[in-house]
Amino acid sequence: MQRLETDVLVIGGGSTGTGVARDAAMRGFRTVLVEKRDLTHGTTGRYHGLLHSGGRYVVKDPESAKECIAENRILRRIMPHSIEDTGGLFVITPWDDPAYGDQFRAACAACGVPCEEMPVAAALHLEPRLNPKIQRAFALPDGAADSFLATHANAESARAYGAEIRIYHEVTALLLRDGVVWGARIRDLVRDEEIEVEAAVIVNAAGAWAGRIARLAGCEVNVIPAKGVMVAMNHRLVNTVLNRCKLPADGDILVPIRTVCVIGTTDHKVPDPERYGIEPWEVTLLLEEGEKLVPGLAGARVLRAWAGVRPLYSEQATSDTRDVSRTYALLDHESRDAMRGFVTITGGKWTTYRQMAEVTLDAICRKLGVERPCRTHLEALPEPQEGKYYTLGAPLADIESAHHTAELLCECELVTQDRVERAVDAGAVTLDDVRRDVRLGMGPCQGGFCTYRAAGLLQERRKPDVRETNLALLDFLQERWKGLQAILWGAQLHQARLDELIYLGIMNADHLETGGRKSPLTDFYFQEDSGPPESQRAPAGRDPA
Amino acid sequence: MICDILVIGAGPAGLTAALHAASAGAKTAILAKGIGTTHWAAGWVDILGYWPPGSPQPVRDPRAAVGALASALPGHPYARAGLRALDEALLAFQRAATAEGIPYAGSLDRNLLATTPSGSRRPTCLVPHAMLEGTRVAAGRTLIVGIGGLRDFYGAYIAANLRAQGCEADRAIVEVPAIRARNPQTTATLAAMLEDRPVRDELIRAVIPVARGFDRIGFPAVLGMNRHREVVDEVGKALGSAVFEIPTLPPSVPGIRLFEALRRRLAALGVRVIIGSEVVQRFAEGNRLLGIGSEAAARTQRQTAGAFILATGGILGGGIVAGADGAVREAALGLPVHAPVARGAWFSPQALAHQGHPIFQSGVLVNERMQPVGPRGDVAFRNVYAAGAVLAGADEWREKSHEGVALATGYRAAQAATERTRPAAQADAEASR
């Protein structure tokens, strides 16, 4: 068995975990991060991509709002390439309480969230598809974020400071002795090997899975997995983040991201972060709510529906997850559970991941009796074009200037062959890992053309046993299918049948040789489809109009 | 436009129906919203590749298997059309394709195993001559040639899968500067480029050094478009070994060649083919369809005919449309549709499930004369017939039956439509003027 020794062991490769790893490495700690799948495989890779201004929380959760605006400003400075500066509008529609507007503006002022009321005509000029019946509009500094890119930048920066990032490494046990968590036993899922890591401090940043990790040390952490469903539309119907100006509810945010826009979300407690389905009524509800912001939205083509599971933290079990604070919690298990060398950082949201890391490392420094100030807010993350926000046209301009058009593997997302090759060479295990790295297969055809191309390239570059490539292709088709069933009708159903023509008709993929191999690294999320719907509940009593 | 028989749809079923209607002497025309599945599919003629569903072994004898299928599934389009229609349609197809310069090899008695772009060997019934050598890869040494810059074909993947099936196969990627420089974005563009002798010669020169010692050389299906035979002959002669084509991702060059060949055939028979016109209205009197209104550039045009053959395709072709509300309808004439009742029953949890996704088998039910019928067997219009993927009850991409269903039902629909004696059809047409 391989043995490692480190100062800080981080569990979880989402935004929080990579943020913690970067902060720890920058403060000079030897750092190891383990993630049981791929970076961003959990909630980070399944969120709508909103960079919060804080406006959403000013009335209900002012603490969260203040954290959001503070971090919003920092993230714009340290990772502009992961952010599109779309700005945000909070609008009062005929379905919303007009009195909320003044309350909202006052609360923004109290929280220090910049908010400017805009004449309705100006808002409609800015966003011509916006419902013309809106009564008021407020402009706030919301934005759109690419959480995949941001997480990879954090990991890259952490590595540059000496951290070791290990994906497909699953924690199987925490090692305890006399009230101290002194290490962890970890399974390398790719090599099928055990590793023992000894660490001065272990940080549980496992998101919706944090309760399970804590339990390995005998600690109870009440993380409520709260499922949020999102739907991606085929077009970028708006260029500004649109919010309903009201207390947070289902389907009240529309985020333009890359070439699409995402309507979200719902919020429902699920028993298990790995077992949940997307139900037709949830999609219907989101489209109906979206229609109130942008009339005609429900008639546009829907690309995909998916869900992320928020790691909401509460010391007491609660039934309505909207009432749980979006702020984060750092749990010191030494003072809380008499278990030394172990902390849990949970709750929060993508926008505040950096602050969560800072607070965690501050606590670790105190524990270890050292004084090493945080610098993650001062130093920009590595990026190709320093200091520039992402813009919609940038990838196209890039390809045009580099004459790379012949090597576009995924036309929908403008993914070039060399980027896929780099992802494959960097050790992507599945084609879904490649997707998270470069956005392969996330556009309108949902992998119809690029799945075959990526599999072909995988075979070219790695020359594995071809049955592994066959499995990679089949797994990716299944992975894409998973997000389609709830939204397949009309044009997207037609597209799905074209994909059947390609893979069943031309490729004979249903008879590809896999040698009885299973998908140990990808079946993780497949199980959620097989179960019966979690409820048949209809959305009732939501619509005051 | 007034004709005896108006075929709606220009996919394999519509083309077949028009061919037989015109051959039988009926004044025939095709009206279509767009081009059908020929431009996507591999260019093979599938009859039945796997039966029963989920069977790991390919069908060896498609004639016998279609017979078994037809008795097991009386609602399947093959059961409606009958084995005889399939037999006759297939022979007529081979005659037409040969006459137009793209002969197809194979027969209804035995499936071939074609080489696919994934390298799996797939049962199909007829292949264009240029793909025949690809059905023989079990013997001898095969080289798969990829072309640098073509992203829709992966020789390494094909060769590796052929080896995993016990074939002796290798691959090479050739760099052809003339192709790189012109940067073809699709296989169709590349196929047209290879009709230029200098480009073709450059490709040949690049392949010669790697081709030695192989019994056959497999290329992506881009060896010429209109002058395909000339390109294949020349490449084969220069390399001194058998040459064959392997399908690619769409667009399908062999499929385009097939479409063009059939269109030439139809033109020779005096069939007018109008593409880019969608049916938006129907004019009926009792249970007789008088005409349809189709969308033209500036206005709706009325087309009348003695009989109509609906060959608009299924979900893929757009003949069947399924809405967010769960309603499934037939797009052109609003005929009754047989479909799963609830949206919850549309799909299987596994993408490539052998049992398929029930929604893709929805379509129009017909009687033995290929006339669309309602749930109680009542004929919707006595002068309307249906063929191809618009029919309910087949999953052509899992069965590998797409062209066979189109040919058999297209042939049978045309036969039934022309069985209405010509004077009667004329009388119908005149009455509707």
Side-chain angles (χ1 to χ4, degrees), chain A residues 406-408 411 452-453 460 470 478 481 486 490 494 500 504-505 507-508 510-511, chain B residues 117-118 120 122 151-152 157 161 171 180 183 315-316 322 343 349 351 398 400:
Chain A
E407 287 93 29
L408 268 190
E411 290 99 330
Y452 167 68
R453 294 169 180 162
E460 272 316 324
N470 292 342
Q478 178 63 21
W481 177 250
H494 169 85
E500 292 216 320
L504 300 170
M507 306 278 170
N508 207 25
D510 48 342
H511 293 273
Chain B
S118 67
S120 94
R122 176 193 183 291
R151 63 202 164 147
D152 289 341
Y157 189 34
N161 261 321
R171 63 94 196 207
R180 278 277 187 195
N183 197 7
I315 298 273
L316 179 59
R343 248 188 76 196
R398 282 175 182 77
K400 324 295 179 195

mmCIF file of all heavy atoms in Angstrom, chain A residues 406-408 411 452-453 460 470 478 481 486 490 494 500 504-505 507-508 510-511, chain B residues 117-118 120 122 151-152 157 161 171 180 183 315-316 322 343 349 351 398 400:
data_model
loop_
_atom_site.group_PDB
_atom_site.id
_atom_site.type_symbol
_atom_site.label_atom_id
_atom_site.label_comp_id
_atom_site.label_asym_id
_atom_site.label_seq_id
_atom_site.Cartn_x
_atom_site.Cartn_y
_atom_site.Cartn_z
ATOM 1 N N ALA A 406 -10.883 23.378 -39.298
ATOM 2 C CA ALA A 406 -10.938 21.996 -39.771
ATOM 3 C C ALA A 406 -10.952 21.037 -38.603
ATOM 4 O O ALA A 406 -11.402 19.915 -38.730
ATOM 5 C CB ALA A 406 -9.756 21.699 -40.666
ATOM 6 N N GLU A 407 -10.424 21.466 -37.471
ATOM 7 C CA GLU A 407 -10.303 20.545 -36.353
ATOM 8 C C GLU A 407 -11.379 20.755 -35.295
ATOM 9 O O GLU A 407 -11.208 20.352 -34.164
ATOM 10 C CB GLU A 407 -8.913 20.646 -35.724
ATOM 11 C CG GLU A 407 -7.818 20.035 -36.572
ATOM 12 C CD GLU A 407 -7.150 21.049 -37.473
ATOM 13 O OE1 GLU A 407 -7.106 22.230 -37.088
ATOM 14 O OE2 GLU A 407 -6.697 20.681 -38.564
ATOM 15 N N LEU A 408 -12.491 21.363 -35.671
ATOM 16 C CA LEU A 408 -13.578 21.507 -34.700
ATOM 17 C C LEU A 408 -14.218 20.146 -34.471
ATOM 18 O O LEU A 408 -14.828 19.581 -35.363
ATOM 19 C CB LEU A 408 -14.639 22.458 -35.239
ATOM 20 C CG LEU A 408 -14.548 23.928 -34.899
ATOM 21 C CD1 LEU A 408 -15.831 24.620 -35.330
ATOM 22 C CD2 LEU A 408 -14.321 24.145 -33.421
ATOM 23 N N GLU A 411 -18.916 21.199 -32.956
ATOM 24 C CA GLU A 411 -19.275 22.482 -33.563
ATOM 25 C C GLU A 411 -20.151 23.296 -32.628
ATOM 26 O O GLU A 411 -20.052 24.511 -32.580
ATOM 27 C CB GLU A 411 -20.036 22.274 -34.873
ATOM 28 C CG GLU A 411 -19.203 21.719 -35.998
ATOM 29 C CD GLU A 411 -19.382 20.221 -36.153
ATOM 30 O OE1 GLU A 411 -19.644 19.548 -35.130
ATOM 31 O OE2 GLU A 411 -19.264 19.725 -37.283
ATOM 32 N N TYR A 452 -18.620 10.197 -31.292
ATOM 33 C CA TYR A 452 -17.819 9.322 -32.154
ATOM 34 C C TYR A 452 -16.428 9.917 -32.377
ATOM 35 O O TYR A 452 -15.423 9.220 -32.305
ATOM 36 C CB TYR A 452 -18.528 9.120 -33.496
ATOM 37 C CG TYR A 452 -17.656 8.488 -34.558
ATOM 38 C CD1 TYR A 452 -17.245 7.157 -34.439
ATOM 39 C CD2 TYR A 452 -17.242 9.210 -35.676
ATOM 40 C CE1 TYR A 452 -16.444 6.575 -35.416
ATOM 41 C CE2 TYR A 452 -16.442 8.630 -36.652
ATOM 42 C CZ TYR A 452 -16.044 7.312 -36.518
ATOM 43 O OH TYR A 452 -15.248 6.739 -37.475
ATOM 44 N N ARG A 453 -16.373 11.211 -32.634
ATOM 45 C CA ARG A 453 -15.073 11.840 -32.895
ATOM 46 C C ARG A 453 -14.169 11.734 -31.672
ATOM 47 O O ARG A 453 -12.983 11.439 -31.785
ATOM 48 C CB ARG A 453 -15.275 13.305 -33.277
ATOM 49 C CG ARG A 453 -15.994 13.479 -34.601
ATOM 50 C CD ARG A 453 -16.403 14.930 -34.784
ATOM 51 N NE ARG A 453 -17.088 15.153 -36.046
ATOM 52 C CZ ARG A 453 -17.839 16.212 -36.290
ATOM 53 N NH1 ARG A 453 -18.001 17.140 -35.363
ATOM 54 N NH2 ARG A 453 -18.428 16.352 -37.451
ATOM 55 N N GLU A 460 -6.982 6.815 -31.015
ATOM 56 C CA GLU A 460 -5.761 7.312 -31.664
ATOM 57 C C GLU A 460 -4.654 7.612 -30.642
ATOM 58 O O GLU A 460 -3.518 7.234 -30.830
ATOM 59 C CB GLU A 460 -6.015 8.663 -32.286
ATOM 60 C CG GLU A 460 -6.524 8.929 -33.660
ATOM 61 C CD GLU A 460 -6.053 8.231 -34.854
ATOM 62 O OE1 GLU A 460 -4.856 7.931 -34.904
ATOM 63 O OE2 GLU A 460 -6.870 8.003 -35.756
ATOM 64 N N ASN A 470 -14.878 1.462 -26.691
ATOM 65 C CA ASN A 470 -16.296 1.182 -26.946
ATOM 66 C C ASN A 470 -17.144 1.521 -25.726
ATOM 67 O O ASN A 470 -18.208 2.127 -25.834
ATOM 68 C CB ASN A 470 -16.482 -0.298 -27.311
ATOM 69 C CG ASN A 470 -15.864 -0.644 -28.653
ATOM 70 O OD1 ASN A 470 -15.588 0.243 -29.464
ATOM 71 N ND2 ASN A 470 -15.630 -1.916 -28.897
ATOM 72 N N GLN A 478 -24.991 7.226 -22.912
ATOM 73 C CA GLN A 478 -25.927 7.034 -21.806
ATOM 74 C C GLN A 478 -25.965 8.268 -20.907
ATOM 75 O O GLN A 478 -27.028 8.701 -20.467
ATOM 76 C CB GLN A 478 -25.548 5.785 -20.996
ATOM 77 C CG GLN A 478 -26.419 5.524 -19.788
ATOM 78 C CD GLN A 478 -27.877 5.260 -20.152
ATOM 79 O OE1 GLN A 478 -28.185 4.895 -21.279
ATOM 80 N NE2 GLN A 478 -28.773 5.491 -19.217
ATOM 81 N N TRP A 481 -27.991 10.840 -22.565
ATOM 82 C CA TRP A 481 -29.404 10.411 -22.586
ATOM 83 C C TRP A 481 -30.110 10.744 -21.284
ATOM 84 O O TRP A 481 -31.263 11.158 -21.246
ATOM 85 C CB TRP A 481 -29.458 8.908 -22.871
ATOM 86 C CG TRP A 481 -30.829 8.323 -22.860
ATOM 87 C CD1 TRP A 481 -31.356 7.476 -21.940
ATOM 88 C CD2 TRP A 481 -31.870 8.548 -23.828
ATOM 89 N NE1 TRP A 481 -32.651 7.152 -22.270
ATOM 90 C CE2 TRP A 481 -33.003 7.805 -23.420
ATOM 91 C CE3 TRP A 481 -31.955 9.322 -24.987
ATOM 92 C CZ2 TRP A 481 -34.186 7.799 -24.134
ATOM 93 C CZ3 TRP A 481 -33.154 9.321 -25.698
ATOM 94 C CH2 TRP A 481 -34.251 8.564 -25.268
ATOM 95 N N ALA A 486 -36.332 13.927 -19.869
ATOM 96 C CA ALA A 486 -37.377 14.798 -19.325
ATOM 97 C C ALA A 486 -37.763 15.918 -20.295
ATOM 98 O O ALA A 486 -38.791 16.562 -20.108
ATOM 99 C CB ALA A 486 -36.928 15.397 -17.995
ATOM 100 N N GLY A 490 -40.836 17.452 -29.714
ATOM 101 C CA GLY A 490 -40.587 18.388 -30.813
ATOM 102 C C GLY A 490 -39.209 18.217 -31.440
ATOM 103 O O GLY A 490 -38.758 17.104 -31.706
ATOM 104 N N HIS A 494 -36.602 14.837 -32.339
ATOM 105 C CA HIS A 494 -36.163 14.608 -33.705
ATOM 106 C C HIS A 494 -34.628 14.463 -33.727
ATOM 107 O O HIS A 494 -34.073 13.555 -34.322
ATOM 108 C CB HIS A 494 -36.670 15.826 -34.480
ATOM 109 C CG HIS A 494 -36.181 16.038 -35.848
ATOM 110 N ND1 HIS A 494 -36.754 15.437 -36.923
ATOM 111 C CD2 HIS A 494 -35.202 16.823 -36.326
ATOM 112 C CE1 HIS A 494 -36.142 15.852 -38.025
ATOM 113 N NE2 HIS A 494 -35.193 16.678 -37.684
ATOM 114 N N GLU A 500 -29.866 8.315 -32.901
ATOM 115 C CA GLU A 500 -30.082 6.861 -33.024
ATOM 116 C C GLU A 500 -29.679 6.383 -34.409
ATOM 117 O O GLU A 500 -29.092 5.305 -34.554
ATOM 118 C CB GLU A 500 -31.551 6.513 -32.751
ATOM 119 C CG GLU A 500 -31.948 6.728 -31.306
ATOM 120 C CD GLU A 500 -32.933 5.686 -30.807
ATOM 121 O OE1 GLU A 500 -33.840 5.316 -31.576
ATOM 122 O OE2 GLU A 500 -32.783 5.244 -29.648
ATOM 123 N N LEU A 504 -26.988 3.712 -33.821
ATOM 124 C CA LEU A 504 -27.542 2.370 -34.050
ATOM 125 C C LEU A 504 -27.491 2.023 -35.526
ATOM 126 O O LEU A 504 -27.160 0.901 -35.904
ATOM 127 C CB LEU A 504 -28.993 2.307 -33.560
ATOM 128 C CG LEU A 504 -29.208 2.595 -32.080
ATOM 129 C CD1 LEU A 504 -30.683 2.731 -31.770
ATOM 130 C CD2 LEU A 504 -28.598 1.483 -31.248
ATOM 131 N N GLY A 505 -27.827 3.000 -36.377
ATOM 132 C CA GLY A 505 -27.905 2.737 -37.803
ATOM 133 C C GLY A 505 -26.528 2.630 -38.447
ATOM 134 O O GLY A 505 -26.198 1.617 -39.050
ATOM 135 N N MET A 507 -23.304 3.103 -36.928
ATOM 136 C CA MET A 507 -22.188 2.565 -36.142
ATOM 137 C C MET A 507 -22.437 1.156 -35.606
ATOM 138 O O MET A 507 -21.501 0.508 -35.165
ATOM 139 C CB MET A 507 -21.917 3.458 -34.926
ATOM 140 C CG MET A 507 -21.686 4.904 -35.238
ATOM 141 S SD MET A 507 -20.008 5.184 -35.747
ATOM 142 C CE MET A 507 -20.147 6.875 -36.336
ATOM 143 N N ASN A 508 -23.700 0.757 -35.525
ATOM 144 C CA ASN A 508 -24.025 -0.524 -34.897
ATOM 145 C C ASN A 508 -23.553 -0.550 -33.430
ATOM 146 O O ASN A 508 -23.109 -1.584 -32.916
ATOM 147 C CB ASN A 508 -23.374 -1.678 -35.668
ATOM 148 C CG ASN A 508 -24.129 -2.983 -35.516
ATOM 149 O OD1 ASN A 508 -25.326 -2.988 -35.251
ATOM 150 N ND2 ASN A 508 -23.429 -4.100 -35.681
ATOM 151 N N ASP A 510 -25.026 -0.653 -30.699
ATOM 152 C CA ASP A 510 -25.689 -1.574 -29.780
ATOM 153 C C ASP A 510 -25.103 -2.980 -29.890
ATOM 154 O O ASP A 510 -25.512 -3.870 -29.157
ATOM 155 C CB ASP A 510 -27.211 -1.574 -29.989
ATOM 156 C CG ASP A 510 -27.628 -1.704 -31.450
ATOM 157 O OD1 ASP A 510 -26.794 -1.456 -32.349
ATOM 158 O OD2 ASP A 510 -28.794 -2.047 -31.703
ATOM 159 N N HIS A 511 -24.162 -3.178 -30.789
ATOM 160 C CA HIS A 511 -23.497 -4.479 -30.881
ATOM 161 C C HIS A 511 -21.988 -4.336 -30.799
ATOM 162 O O HIS A 511 -21.249 -5.205 -31.251
ATOM 163 C CB HIS A 511 -23.935 -5.198 -32.161
ATOM 164 C CG HIS A 511 -25.385 -5.581 -32.135
ATOM 165 N ND1 HIS A 511 -25.838 -6.765 -31.592
ATOM 166 C CD2 HIS A 511 -26.496 -4.901 -32.515
ATOM 167 C CE1 HIS A 511 -27.163 -6.808 -31.671
ATOM 168 N NE2 HIS A 511 -27.586 -5.688 -32.220
ATOM 169 N N PRO B 117 -18.151 2.648 -39.492
ATOM 170 C CA PRO B 117 -17.126 3.602 -39.041
ATOM 171 C C PRO B 117 -16.690 3.402 -37.587
ATOM 172 O O PRO B 117 -15.766 4.074 -37.139
ATOM 173 C CB PRO B 117 -17.789 4.962 -39.244
ATOM 174 C CG PRO B 117 -19.227 4.692 -39.431
ATOM 175 C CD PRO B 117 -19.387 3.297 -39.905
ATOM 176 N N SER B 118 -17.341 2.502 -36.858
ATOM 177 C CA SER B 118 -16.818 2.173 -35.530
ATOM 178 C C SER B 118 -15.954 0.916 -35.623
ATOM 179 O O SER B 118 -15.294 0.545 -34.663
ATOM 180 C CB SER B 118 -17.960 1.939 -34.540
ATOM 181 O OG SER B 118 -18.673 0.763 -34.890
ATOM 182 N N SER B 120 -17.283 -2.018 -36.098
ATOM 183 C CA SER B 120 -18.096 -3.205 -35.834
ATOM 184 C C SER B 120 -18.585 -3.718 -37.186
ATOM 185 O O SER B 120 -18.724 -2.964 -38.140
ATOM 186 C CB SER B 120 -19.256 -2.862 -34.900
ATOM 187 O OG SER B 120 -20.409 -2.557 -35.638
ATOM 188 N N ARG B 122 -21.482 -5.113 -39.374
ATOM 189 C CA ARG B 122 -22.917 -4.937 -39.195
ATOM 190 C C ARG B 122 -23.683 -5.607 -40.320
ATOM 191 O O ARG B 122 -23.360 -5.432 -41.495
ATOM 192 C CB ARG B 122 -23.208 -3.443 -39.194
ATOM 193 C CG ARG B 122 -24.663 -3.061 -39.111
ATOM 194 C CD ARG B 122 -24.731 -1.587 -39.450
ATOM 195 N NE ARG B 122 -26.022 -0.976 -39.374
ATOM 196 C CZ ARG B 122 -27.038 -1.210 -40.200
ATOM 197 N NH1 ARG B 122 -26.945 -2.125 -41.130
ATOM 198 N NH2 ARG B 122 -28.153 -0.514 -40.081
ATOM 199 N N ARG B 151 -12.478 14.928 -39.888
ATOM 200 C CA ARG B 151 -12.781 14.621 -38.487
ATOM 201 C C ARG B 151 -13.914 13.622 -38.343
ATOM 202 O O ARG B 151 -14.306 13.315 -37.236
ATOM 203 C CB ARG B 151 -13.129 15.914 -37.770
ATOM 204 C CG ARG B 151 -14.362 16.502 -38.383
ATOM 205 C CD ARG B 151 -14.500 17.962 -38.141
ATOM 206 N NE ARG B 151 -15.489 18.438 -39.102
ATOM 207 C CZ ARG B 151 -16.328 19.417 -38.877
ATOM 208 N NH1 ARG B 151 -16.272 20.069 -37.758
ATOM 209 N NH2 ARG B 151 -17.190 19.775 -39.777
ATOM 210 N N ASP B 152 -14.465 13.158 -39.446
ATOM 211 C CA ASP B 152 -15.631 12.282 -39.355
ATOM 212 C C ASP B 152 -15.305 10.822 -39.628
ATOM 213 O O ASP B 152 -16.183 10.037 -40.008
ATOM 214 C CB ASP B 152 -16.725 12.772 -40.315
ATOM 215 C CG ASP B 152 -17.345 14.066 -39.815
ATOM 216 O OD1 ASP B 152 -17.185 14.356 -38.605
ATOM 217 O OD2 ASP B 152 -17.968 14.790 -40.598
ATOM 218 N N TYR B 157 -9.658 3.510 -34.736
ATOM 219 C CA TYR B 157 -10.789 2.913 -34.020
ATOM 220 C C TYR B 157 -11.378 1.750 -34.828
ATOM 221 O O TYR B 157 -11.668 0.681 -34.292
ATOM 222 C CB TYR B 157 -11.833 4.009 -33.779
ATOM 223 C CG TYR B 157 -12.974 3.632 -32.867
ATOM 224 C CD1 TYR B 157 -12.792 2.763 -31.794
ATOM 225 C CD2 TYR B 157 -14.245 4.167 -33.065
ATOM 226 C CE1 TYR B 157 -13.851 2.429 -30.958
ATOM 227 C CE2 TYR B 157 -15.306 3.851 -32.232
ATOM 228 C CZ TYR B 157 -15.099 2.974 -31.183
ATOM 229 O OH TYR B 157 -16.154 2.659 -30.358
ATOM 230 N N ASN B 161 -11.202 -2.257 -33.690
ATOM 231 C CA ASN B 161 -12.407 -3.078 -33.508
ATOM 232 C C ASN B 161 -12.432 -4.266 -34.469
ATOM 233 O O ASN B 161 -12.921 -5.337 -34.113
ATOM 234 C CB ASN B 161 -13.677 -2.236 -33.640
ATOM 235 C CG ASN B 161 -14.253 -1.850 -32.273
ATOM 236 O OD1 ASN B 161 -14.249 -2.661 -31.334
ATOM 237 N ND2 ASN B 161 -14.716 -0.619 -32.153
ATOM 238 N N ARG B 171 -4.036 0.380 -39.834
ATOM 239 C CA ARG B 171 -4.522 1.646 -40.371
ATOM 240 C C ARG B 171 -3.347 2.590 -40.628
ATOM 241 O O ARG B 171 -2.254 2.424 -40.082
ATOM 242 C CB ARG B 171 -5.488 2.296 -39.404
ATOM 243 C CG ARG B 171 -4.863 2.653 -38.076
ATOM 244 C CD ARG B 171 -4.378 4.047 -38.049
ATOM 245 N NE ARG B 171 -3.470 4.244 -36.924
ATOM 246 C CZ ARG B 171 -3.304 5.394 -36.345
ATOM 247 N NH1 ARG B 171 -3.965 6.429 -36.770
ATOM 248 N NH2 ARG B 171 -2.455 5.518 -35.351
ATOM 249 N N ARG B 180 -5.684 19.427 -47.100
ATOM 250 C CA ARG B 180 -5.520 20.315 -45.930
ATOM 251 C C ARG B 180 -5.722 21.776 -46.326
ATOM 252 O O ARG B 180 -6.390 22.527 -45.618
ATOM 253 C CB ARG B 180 -4.102 20.168 -45.356
ATOM 254 C CG ARG B 180 -3.915 18.999 -44.442
ATOM 255 C CD ARG B 180 -4.373 19.301 -43.037
ATOM 256 N NE ARG B 180 -4.014 18.197 -42.142
ATOM 257 C CZ ARG B 180 -4.510 18.035 -40.943
ATOM 258 N NH1 ARG B 180 -5.383 18.897 -40.470
ATOM 259 N NH2 ARG B 180 -4.141 17.018 -40.209
ATOM 260 N N ASN B 183 -9.259 22.543 -46.885
ATOM 261 C CA ASN B 183 -10.002 22.479 -45.637
ATOM 262 C C ASN B 183 -11.471 22.071 -45.766
ATOM 263 O O ASN B 183 -12.358 22.834 -45.412
ATOM 264 C CB ASN B 183 -9.892 23.867 -44.971
ATOM 265 C CG ASN B 183 -10.249 23.809 -43.508
ATOM 266 O OD1 ASN B 183 -10.444 22.725 -42.964
ATOM 267 N ND2 ASN B 183 -10.341 24.959 -42.882
ATOM 268 N N ILE B 315 -40.586 10.201 -36.651
ATOM 269 C CA ILE B 315 -40.085 11.295 -35.810
ATOM 270 C C ILE B 315 -38.874 11.938 -36.481
ATOM 271 O O ILE B 315 -38.730 13.155 -36.494
ATOM 272 C CB ILE B 315 -39.678 10.749 -34.422
ATOM 273 C CG1 ILE B 315 -40.878 10.139 -33.690
ATOM 274 C CG2 ILE B 315 -38.973 11.821 -33.606
ATOM 275 C CD1 ILE B 315 -41.711 11.074 -32.892
ATOM 276 N N LEU B 316 -38.012 11.123 -37.054
ATOM 277 C CA LEU B 316 -36.795 11.657 -37.660
ATOM 278 C C LEU B 316 -37.101 12.482 -38.892
ATOM 279 O O LEU B 316 -36.570 13.577 -39.075
ATOM 280 C CB LEU B 316 -35.843 10.504 -37.998
ATOM 281 C CG LEU B 316 -34.524 10.891 -38.665
ATOM 282 C CD1 LEU B 316 -33.735 11.848 -37.792
ATOM 283 C CD2 LEU B 316 -33.691 9.646 -38.949
ATOM 284 N N ALA B 322 -44.181 14.982 -32.067
ATOM 285 C CA ALA B 322 -44.617 14.755 -30.693
ATOM 286 C C ALA B 322 -44.437 16.043 -29.898
ATOM 287 O O ALA B 322 -43.355 16.633 -29.911
ATOM 288 C CB ALA B 322 -43.797 13.630 -30.068
ATOM 289 N N ARG B 343 -46.676 10.447 -21.801
ATOM 290 C CA ARG B 343 -45.277 10.814 -22.027
ATOM 291 C C ARG B 343 -44.341 9.973 -21.178
ATOM 292 O O ARG B 343 -43.216 9.692 -21.572
ATOM 293 C CB ARG B 343 -45.065 12.290 -21.725
ATOM 294 C CG ARG B 343 -44.752 13.093 -22.961
ATOM 295 C CD ARG B 343 -44.360 14.516 -22.595
ATOM 296 N NE ARG B 343 -43.004 14.570 -22.065
ATOM 297 C CZ ARG B 343 -42.516 15.596 -21.387
ATOM 298 N NH1 ARG B 343 -43.266 16.636 -21.141
ATOM 299 N NH2 ARG B 343 -41.281 15.575 -20.948
ATOM 300 N N PRO B 349 -35.058 3.600 -19.855
ATOM 301 C CA PRO B 349 -33.985 4.306 -19.125
ATOM 302 C C PRO B 349 -32.619 4.211 -19.808
ATOM 303 O O PRO B 349 -31.797 5.103 -19.652
ATOM 304 C CB PRO B 349 -33.953 3.642 -17.754
ATOM 305 C CG PRO B 349 -35.024 2.624 -17.718
ATOM 306 C CD PRO B 349 -35.684 2.545 -19.048
ATOM 307 N N ALA B 351 -30.194 4.355 -23.027
ATOM 308 C CA ALA B 351 -30.231 4.989 -24.348
ATOM 309 C C ALA B 351 -30.327 3.950 -25.464
ATOM 310 O O ALA B 351 -31.108 4.087 -26.395
ATOM 311 C CB ALA B 351 -28.995 5.861 -24.539
ATOM 312 N N ARG B 398 -32.931 -0.172 -34.730
ATOM 313 C CA ARG B 398 -32.546 -1.339 -33.929
ATOM 314 C C ARG B 398 -32.680 -2.621 -34.734
ATOM 315 O O ARG B 398 -31.836 -3.489 -34.667
ATOM 316 C CB ARG B 398 -33.365 -1.398 -32.635
ATOM 317 C CG ARG B 398 -32.832 -0.418 -31.608
ATOM 318 C CD ARG B 398 -33.673 -0.352 -30.354
ATOM 319 N NE ARG B 398 -33.114 0.643 -29.457
ATOM 320 C CZ ARG B 398 -33.254 1.952 -29.597
ATOM 321 N NH1 ARG B 398 -33.946 2.438 -30.612
ATOM 322 N NH2 ARG B 398 -32.708 2.794 -28.745
ATOM 323 N N LYS B 400 -32.447 -2.743 -37.881
ATOM 324 C CA LYS B 400 -31.675 -2.549 -39.117
ATOM 325 C C LYS B 400 -32.587 -2.948 -40.280
ATOM 326 O O LYS B 400 -32.336 -3.933 -40.996
ATOM 327 C CB LYS B 400 -30.365 -3.347 -39.150
ATOM 328 C CG LYS B 400 -29.620 -3.502 -37.826
ATOM 329 C CD LYS B 400 -29.081 -2.221 -37.234
ATOM 330 C CE LYS B 400 -28.380 -2.529 -35.905
ATOM 331 N NZ LYS B 400 -28.130 -1.336 -35.101
#
